[in-house]
Amino acid sequence: MSEAVAIPRPLPSRHGLAGEFYAWCAKGELRFQRCSGCGTWRHVPREMCAECGSVAWAWERSSGRGRIYTWTVVARALHPGFAADAPYAPVVVEMEEGVRLLGRMVDCPPAELAIAMPVEVVFVAVAPEVTLPRFRRT
Amino acid sequence: MAVALDAPRTGRPRGGAVARPRTIRYVGALMTTSLSDRACIVGIGETAYCRAPGSGKTELGIQLEAARAALADAGLGPRQLDGVMPFPNLGSAEELAANLGIANLRFAATVHMGGAAPVASLQVAAAAVVSGSADYVLLPAGWNGYSGRRVRESVAVDSSLLPGGAIARDYYLPHGLTAPPQWYALIARRHMHEFGTTPEHLGAIAIAMRKHAQLNPGAVMKDKPLTMDAYLASPMVTAPYRLFDCCLETDGGAAVVVTTRERARDLRRHPVAILGVAAAQPYPADEITNRKDLFATGLTLAAPRAFAMAGVTPADIDFAEIYDCFTFEVLQQLEETGFCGRGEGGPFVEGGTIELGGALPVNTHGGLLSEAHALGMSHIVEAVRQLRGDGGERQVAAAALGVVTGWGDFGDGSIAILGRA
Ligand SMILES: [Zn+2]
């Protein structure tokens, strides 16, 4: 999938840990950091584990499944790049690994959103070199 | 000099059936009591507040006007000032000092906590004057929040204005989550799910602020009363926030002057004492969505410290000026301050409890929602006004103890407990 964008939207950095996270998304894989010291999954990416202090970690693959933890419905975009999308619903999904990931639904009208709704990740290319994780109902 | 260490103030019985179940833990009391009741707010100043056509002034000009008013109120000249605390991203100590004629500037600091900065700055200013780093510290705030750059735009354009700016840039903004009401709406929605908080609860907050604004000649929303029907009919901005859940965007500013209790005695107005003050950050402060406790903010840590420092409890407080960027943040801060328990904020704000005449009048000036958005400084100004007995039509009867809070960025929190000195 791809989306035509008339007004530039903010895009994530292609460098550093964010660049690595989104590079996995571009390959169709959702991966989070997992601490090599204590096994704790973490998101957003960090340099070290706040639980055990280890700086050793690896990108491990998520099941891609989770449940909606909370959401908002943006009725009136506050950034011109998203004006054509409104209303749209950013959702926070609690993944099976325990971390929470922000995204948007691709197949659910905002009025049908519900906390604890089961969802799974899909990937949407929003710019030539940027792919974002999104969610669909399961 | 009377230094109130751990001596609790006498709690006065309160009328009404409002539950105040939360026990305040005296965390960190030994660490923080040394500042209690040793510094005072001795001057307050404000500009006019407006929307269209705008102030016609520069942001520095607004801050200078508010500063001059605060100095005049205190009976101080700029040459007596030796400390200044510029608002984050809205000015420098150098240009404030050069314009005001502060020839003896020896203390300058900025607390980078957004809307929590003014109250957090009271803590730093108190420490500065008590330690002798400065004698008189100016806290100015002011901007063209209407006619200049709007927050909702500037944040989207320049994510470096935020803490964890890179996190917002990389993980929030690409999904269209670009502005403060959208971030905070995530917390409000979850609160509704867990505790049954309703749109009418949020509406009760908007209506209370609007009622108070009708008694404030300087409020932008004077002569524009709000009913529940009109609140519920106002357009959604980012659910559950409607238009009337959102603060005003206005031009204008406010300022206060802080000095020691000893110096305060010689000044023009009766001083208002900083009895307790604290600031803290949520964890993690740079990312909202992965907090284990979504409702814990900086205030959750700061409030017990401030009450312990002042030796009082929430039940002793006569009024509260709560940073009201959006209605739900008022509800959340009432809970985290301990005025009611976690999840009890909705029922607490119903039935006029937070209105003048209720058990805990909140935002007696109308707040950011209905007076103006003066970055939180106007909440301190209003608390001082109430404690001086200068509230006019909106005076809280026998106001002796007031709370002021600040909320900034992703939930940074600050709180001051002020009392008649
Ligand atoms: Zn670890």
Side-chain angles (χ1 to χ4, degrees), chain A:
Chain A
M1 279 190 274
S2 70
E3 292 176 345
V5 177
I7 301 168
R9 296 174 176 189
L11 294 172
S13 171
R14 288 162 50 205
H15 305 286
L17 294 173
E20 293 181 36
F21 175 83
Y22 285 106
W24 285 113
C25 291
K27 292 178 193 165
E29 294 185 16
L30 182 63
R31 288 181 179 250
F32 298 113
Q33 286 178 307
R34 192 172 188 193
C35 175
S36 304
C38 70
T40 301
W41 295 81
R42 67 180 187 255
H43 183 71
V44 302
R46 306 274 185 191
E47 296 282 341
M48 65 185 280
C49 177
E51 301 299 320
C52 77
S54 172
V55 295
W57 54 272
W59 290 109
E60 291 201 17
R61 193 159 183 183
S62 163
S63 73
R65 290 187 297 273
R67 290 177 181 270
I68 292 179
Y69 182 76
T70 190
W71 82 92
T72 183
V73 181
V74 178
R76 173 177 152 205
L78 297 177
H79 184 290
F82 297 101
D85 294 7
Y88 63 91
V91 296
V92 175
V93 173
E94 190 159 280
M95 307 302 298
E96 287 180 342
E97 294 78 18
V99 300
R100 300 190 196 122
L101 177 64
L102 185 78
R104 274 159 66 175
M105 299 296 293
V106 295
D107 66 344
C108 183
E112 294 175 23
L113 287 166
I115 284 176
M117 173 188 283
V119 300
E120 67 181 5
V121 74
V122 295
F123 297 96
V124 177
V126 297
E129 295 178 39
V130 180
T131 295
L132 299 181
R134 295 216 165 152
F135 297 99
R136 68 180 172 214
R137 288 194 268 201
T138 58

Side-chain angles (χ1 to χ4, degrees), chain B residues 73-389:
Chain B
D73 181 60
L76 285 168
R79 292 195 181 274
Q80 290 163 278
L81 275 181
D82 54 2
V84 63
M85 297 194 64
F87 193 90
N89 304 314
L90 282 175
S92 73
E94 290 83 351
E95 60 183 5
L96 285 162
N99 279 276
L100 285 167
I102 307 173
N104 181 33
L105 186 69
R106 60 197 182 100
F107 176 80
T110 292
V111 180
H112 285 272
M113 285 188 143
V119 175
S121 296
L122 287 179
Q123 181 185 31
V124 179
V129 297
V130 167
S131 68
S133 298
D135 292 342
Y136 302 97
V137 181
L138 171 70
L139 281 59
W143 63 339
N144 287 318
Y146 181 87
S147 64
R149 108 199 131 169
R150 305 278 187 99
V151 171
R152 61 189 184 206
E153 294 160 357
S154 62
V155 165
V157 170
D158 184 359
S159 60
S160 70
L161 291 173
L162 289 166
I167 287 171
R169 178 197 65 201
D170 293 337
Y171 302 100
Y172 297 175
L173 270 57
H175 301 289
L177 204 73
T178 57
Q182 300 164 348
W183 304 324
Y184 307 158
L186 298 172
I187 306 173
R189 165 68 64 196
R190 184 75 196 181
H191 196 276
M192 288 176 154
H193 171 75
E194 291 197 20
F195 303 113
T197 307
T198 66
E200 286 78 8
H201 291 145
L202 303 188
I205 294 166
I207 289 166
M209 306 304 100
R210 193 65 68 89
K211 277 189 184 174
H212 297 164
Q214 304 316 306
L215 305 174
N216 177 359
V220 166
M221 285 300 181
K222 174 100 167 73
D223 301 324
K224 294 178 181 171
L226 180 65
T227 64
M228 185 62 81
D229 285 346
Y231 164 81
L232 291 170
S234 69
M236 279 292 181
V237 174
T238 184
Y241 288 144
R242 294 168 165 80
L243 179 64
F244 291 142
D245 291 302
C246 301
C247 58
L248 298 168
E249 294 175 298
T250 58
D251 293 3
V256 303
V257 179
V258 172
T259 190
T260 59
R261 216 176 199 291
E262 292 73 23
R263 287 191 182 86
R265 292 195 189 104
D266 303 327
L267 297 179
R268 200 174 76 83
R269 295 300 311 269
H270 193 82
V272 164
I274 300 169
L275 302 174
V277 63
Q281 296 199 326
Y283 178 76
D286 61 355
E287 211 274 302
I288 292 174
T289 64
N290 275 280
R291 288 181 190 159
K292 286 191 173 73
D293 181 348
L294 195 63
F295 306 117
T297 67
L299 194 58
T300 311
L301 296 173
R305 292 178 189 161
F307 281 108
M309 182 173 166
V312 302
T313 73
D316 299 320
I317 300 300
D318 298 306
F319 66 90
E321 314 295 354
I322 306 287
Y323 192 90
D324 52 331
C325 44
F326 306 96
T327 52
F328 173 73
E329 277 56 51
V330 175
L331 191 153
Q332 188 179 6
Q333 290 176 86
L334 288 170
E335 292 181 356
E336 299 309 308
T337 305
F339 288 118
C340 60
R342 173 82 62 86
E344 297 173 356
F348 182 85
V349 301
E350 286 181 319
T353 304
I354 62 169
E355 295 178 10
L356 281 162
L360 184 75
V362 170
N363 294 353
T364 46
H365 52 336
L368 307 178
L369 288 164
S370 281
E371 184 200 43
H373 197 317
L375 302 155
M377 195 65 77
S378 56
H379 289 53
I380 303 174
V381 167
E382 175 69 4
V384 171
R385 193 180 279 126
Q386 288 285 342
L387 291 166
R388 286 175 175 179

